[in-house]
Amino acid sequence: MAKKFRNMATSSEGTYIWTLDDESLKVCGNELNENPDERASHIQTLRDWVKQQPHITSRTDDHFLLRFLRVSKFSQLRAQEIIDSFWTIRCTPAKGFPDWFTNNDPADPMVQELLSMGIVFPLPGRDQLQRKVVVYRIGLRDATPQYISDMMKMSFITLDILLKDELNQIHGFINLFDLTEFGVSHMPYYTPDTVSKILRCWERAYPCRNKSMNYYNSPLILNALMVIFRRFMSENLQQRLFFHWSSLESLYQHVSPSLLPEEYGGDAGPVQNIIETWKDEVIKNREEIVQNSQYGVDENKRPVVKNPDKSGWGKMGSFRKLAVE
């Protein structure tokens, strides 16, 4: 049975008010092409496009649409492609992994167990450029058939909540991949198809400014895995990869010790305290996750275009490769 989506009408259309600091406004103008005098009209143009698409059922509130405009540097075409892909990866197995976005209610005991493990969590505070650091403990989950699904489920729950914060939309993320527990047993789950879909989600479907990817305590087998990942990465993202191996001094050049937990030689307190604080934050923002589960795409209603891109992504059934911001 086809999934039924909620009506797109929302009471928060046309209600956006700027509340951030002058420095963030400057970044919006210089880096994202955001003009305060034109912001509302850009949001309305994207909203009108979304409502005209027969296959997309989406949120249309100002704050939601604005994150897609920002990551697209206010290109309507890019924003359209990303928002289409954002919902497509949640519903269409051939183009994404719907399992990564189902059974993700923070009230679910299994999700709470994963939150308590601390597979993915943001660090408190921000760096000197107001970027948010997010930690991914890649090998923490046992290597089972659920390994990738659990990892990605927690990644997107985290991002959905963090993207509510305009500072994160504007200044972006520093990603810290801790591979301390990663081993040979995890490798078989990173098939080319799975890696391709992971990168599609990260680069093409989520409105995130990923400013750097830092790999810490990475074993030599990571070299083999990165060969697969690089096949599907944009050039821009490849230029933002930093490998610190087991060197904290190297890591500190990209992530300040003032932000890191004490287990990483930092000043932010025990990692478990940070994990528990984030778990409380996720539960407090449960509605954001539940709300997003009520929207998506219906591939049977997607308009057919002549000579579509083989990937089948994006606007009107086609997707041109986008450079990472």
Side-chain angles (χ1 to χ4, degrees):
M1 181 183 294
K3 184 176 180 180
K4 294 183 179 180
F5 301 115
R6 68 182 292 176
N7 189 285
M8 283 193 285
T10 175
S11 61
S12 53
E13 295 180 358
T15 61
Y16 178 81
I17 297 175
W18 176 269
T19 60
L20 301 181
D21 58 279
D22 291 342
E23 184 60 32
S24 294
L25 184 61
K26 187 184 299 184
V27 171
C28 282
N30 293 341
E31 299 183 21
L32 307 181
N33 299 324
E34 182 169 340
N35 184 333
D37 296 330
E38 300 175 355
R39 185 189 295 121
S41 64
H42 278 289
I43 294 173
Q44 187 59 48
T45 297
L46 183 57
R47 179 182 296 121
D48 291 342
W49 179 86
V50 169
K51 290 184 175 182
Q52 291 167 7
Q53 304 313 304
H55 64 296
I56 299 176
T57 307
S58 172
R59 292 170 54 183
T60 54
D61 56 278
D62 289 13
H63 283 83
F64 181 76
L65 296 177
L66 189 53
R67 64 193 68 171
F68 293 92
L69 287 167
R70 283 174 170 153
V71 79
S72 304
K73 298 187 177 180
F74 278 76
S75 161
Q76 287 288 335
L77 177 59
R78 289 186 66 185
Q80 291 165 12
E81 291 174 330
I82 296 173
I83 200 169
D84 189 341
S85 297
F86 180 85
W87 296 119
T88 297
I89 60 172
R90 296 165 178 262
C91 302
T92 310
K95 303 171 185 178
F97 258 117
D99 283 353
W100 297 349
F101 302 94
T102 56
N103 301 317
N104 62 352
D105 186 340
D108 185 291
M110 179 57 70
V111 174
Q112 292 200 16
E113 179 183 336
L114 294 173
L115 286 167
S116 295
M117 287 180 66
I119 296 174
V120 183
F121 58 91
L123 298 180
R126 298 179 180 278
D127 73 1
Q128 70 277 15
L129 297 177
Q130 295 205 63
R131 301 173 297 188
K132 176 63 73 173
V133 180
V134 183
V135 178
Y136 298 80
R137 299 202 288 182
I138 301 298
L140 195 63
R141 191 69 165 145
D142 291 340
T144 69
Q146 278 297 110
Y147 161 63
I148 292 287
S149 179
D150 288 346
M151 186 77 209
M152 301 311 297
K153 191 189 301 287
M154 301 315 297
S155 297
F156 293 123
I157 286 175
T158 299
L159 290 176
D160 278 345
I161 293 173
L162 289 177
L163 284 168
K164 290 180 63 181
D165 188 331
E166 288 189 81
L167 288 177
N168 295 332
Q169 298 172 23
I170 294 166
H171 299 286
F173 298 100
I174 301 296
N175 300 297
L176 170 54
F177 298 94
D178 183 348
L179 292 103
T180 301
E181 306 294 333
F182 187 83
V184 175
S185 59
H186 294 96
M187 290 283 287
Y189 296 101
Y190 289 94
T191 65
D193 180 63
T194 297
V195 170
S196 170
K197 289 178 177 177
I198 290 173
L199 267 299
R200 284 178 181 176
C201 293
W202 267 67
E203 293 204 70
R204 304 181 181 185
Y206 254 74
C208 298
R209 303 188 71 197
N210 291 305
K211 308 305 290 184
S212 72
M213 317 281 277
N214 297 271
Y215 296 85
Y216 172 67
N217 248 358
S218 40
L220 288 176
I221 56 171
L222 180 67
N223 292 334
L225 184 58
M226 291 309 298
V227 169
I228 302 175
F229 269 86
R230 287 180 188 273
R231 284 172 52 191
F232 301 102
M233 280 185 182
S234 69
E235 262 185 53
N236 282 351
L237 191 59
Q238 291 192 45
Q239 292 171 2
R240 299 177 184 185
L241 303 179
F242 300 95
F243 299 91
H244 307 292
W245 307 110
S246 60
S247 172
L248 284 172
E249 291 304 316
S250 175
L251 177 63
Y252 294 162
Q253 295 178 30
H254 295 264
V255 183
S256 169
S258 65
L259 299 175
L260 289 165
E262 60 185 34
E263 288 83 354
Y264 297 80
D267 305 319
V271 69
Q272 197 57 42
N273 290 358
I274 297 172
I275 290 168
E276 290 302 320
T277 298
W278 176 243
K279 178 181 177 181
D280 292 341
E281 187 70 14
V282 171
I283 293 170
K284 186 172 73 175
N285 286 276
R286 172 178 177 264
E287 179 56 30
E288 183 75 10
I289 307 303
V290 173
Q291 181 179 198
N292 284 346
S293 69
Q294 299 173 5
Y295 298 98
V297 298
D298 183 342
E299 293 295 337
N300 293 324
K301 296 180 180 179
R302 185 185 291 275
V304 177
V305 295
K306 294 180 180 179
N307 302 318
D309 185 280
K310 290 182 179 180
S311 68
W313 281 70
K315 182 186 174 188
M316 304 301 285
S318 66
F319 183 89
R320 62 180 176 80
K321 188 174 182 180
L322 300 178
V324 173
E325 196 287 320

